[in-house]
Amino acid sequence: MRTTLSLVLTLITFNLSLQASDSLISTQIIAFKETSPSESLILKRYGPSGQAGGTALPCAVFFFGGGWNGGYIEHFAPQGEYLAQRGMVAICAQYRTLNSHSVPPNVCLVDAKSAIRYVKANAESLGIDPHRLAVGGGSAGGHLAAATTFCEGFNDTRDDKKISTQANALLLFNPVIDNSVNGYGHDRVREFWEEFSPLHNISSPPPTLFLLGDNDNLIPVGTGVAFQKAIEDAGGRCDLHIYKNGAHGFFNPGRPNANGKEYYEDCIKKMDHFLVSLGFLKPQR
């Protein structure tokens, strides 16, 4: 999705009614990075319109999937709306892809890091606590979520590199985390795969939620197990959940080949419980 600078320099606010709740969730569209004199990348912020008692809220940033080729910013809108209803702020971030801007995967990561830095630098105006920041995504978006935390380099020269892109928690939905010759996308990233592959750059890992189907044709269960072991070997926590017969993208709503609504709702439940365990969310009554 291309967005002209003239359309997004002004904050657009509207109300989105959730079917599951009588409450209204405030949604904001915010330009965070200029890619040309007439175009900017955007964030979509879902969450309470104000801070209760002036308290900064925990936040989750999501990156859409699509193999670094395509995708759409609203991919994680259902998860974002759910978290907003639960009292968090959720942000869906746009980044350039092969289809939208003819860029390679490393540029996707550059944009993802810019998004995280923007969110942290503008935490006060966004109403969030930058020290309670979860970063998530699915497939290639899961790669970006993990890589913004683990992979050095891949920085926009205009970014303030003193702002860390490390998350306080990771929410990974069948993520691409191995870019070696045995992993996903190696032929497209072979020149820089060792620095680009989250599995091969784990250090000081934050608590991680990893959701994966055992019928995924792109991310083998063994890759998820290896990632969990690497995080635990580094002294971290990785909650790995394997879904029987789950195909790639099983966590999305309405997937008939992956138990559709049932698996989507269970993934939401697992995400909720994980965030409650970290103190990002209050337990549901």
Side-chain angles (χ1 to χ4, degrees):
M1 176 175 65
R2 296 199 176 196
T3 309
T4 60
L5 185 60
S6 60
L7 288 176
V8 296
L9 280 180
T10 301
L11 192 65
I12 304 170
T13 305
F14 61 93
N15 286 327
L16 177 66
S17 179
L18 296 180
Q19 294 181 353
S21 173
D22 293 331
S23 63
L24 293 178
I25 296 300
S26 173
T27 306
Q28 299 171 333
I29 300 175
I30 305 164
F32 77 91
K33 179 176 180 175
E34 184 177 305
T35 55
S36 76
S38 62
E39 182 182 356
S40 285
L41 301 176
I42 65 169
L43 306 173
K44 293 192 74 172
R45 178 195 182 279
Y46 302 85
S49 58
Q51 301 175 44
T55 301
L57 300 173
C59 177
V61 176
F62 291 104
F63 296 104
F64 58 83
W68 311 299
N69 292 317
Y72 57 101
I73 190 173
E74 294 88 359
H75 184 175
F76 278 87
Q79 290 84 356
E81 292 166 2
Y82 173 85
L83 291 178
Q85 183 184 348
R86 287 278 280 125
M88 280 183 69
V89 170
I91 295 173
C92 293
Q94 184 187 21
Y95 59 91
R96 290 171 288 178
T97 65
L98 180 65
N99 293 343
S100 70
H101 291 81
S102 301
V103 298
N106 56 310
V107 173
C108 302
L109 180 52
V110 169
D111 288 346
K113 287 196 169 189
S114 294
I116 298 300
R117 288 191 170 108
Y118 180 93
V119 168
K120 287 189 173 184
N122 294 276
E124 184 174 359
S125 63
L126 290 169
I128 68 165
D129 179 356
H131 302 294
R132 289 189 292 168
L133 179 67
V135 180
S139 192
H143 166 270
L144 298 179
T148 52
T149 280
F150 294 124
C151 298
E152 298 291 334
F154 306 100
N155 298 302
D156 191 305
T157 56
R158 297 170 294 176
D159 286 356
D160 181 356
K161 290 186 283 296
K162 291 182 290 186
I163 300 176
S164 169
T165 60
Q166 186 170 31
N168 303 108
L170 293 174
L171 307 171
L172 306 181
F173 298 74
N174 56 226
V176 172
I177 42 85
D178 179 6
N179 304 115
S180 71
V181 67
N182 297 315
Y184 177 84
H186 181 75
D187 58 330
R188 298 171 59 195
V189 302
R190 67 174 72 245
E191 295 180 1
F192 48 82
W193 80 265
E194 289 179 284
E195 296 78 33
F196 192 74
S197 177
L199 178 60
H200 299 85
N201 290 278
I202 292 174
S203 177
S204 303
T208 300
L209 176 69
F210 195 125
L211 305 175
L212 183 63
D214 67 4
N215 193 33
D216 194 313
N217 64 324
L218 300 178
I219 316 298
V221 169
T223 299
V225 172
F227 190 71
Q228 180 186 46
K229 183 178 186 303
I231 286 184
E232 291 176 348
D233 287 349
R237 165 189 172 186
C238 182
D239 294 5
L240 175 64
H241 299 280
I242 307 297
Y243 286 79
K244 185 175 178 58
N245 298 322
H248 196 69
F250 74 98
F251 61 89
N252 292 297
R255 290 292 181 96
N257 64 336
N259 288 345
K261 182 179 179 182
E262 177 187 346
Y263 275 5
Y264 164 73
E265 290 182 348
D266 193 74
C267 288
I268 290 285
K269 181 179 178 181
K270 293 289 195 302
M271 178 178 68
D272 190 294
H273 287 178
F274 177 73
L275 291 171
V276 167
S277 76
L278 301 179
F280 283 46
L281 293 176
K282 295 179 180 179
Q284 297 198 71
R285 295 179 180 179

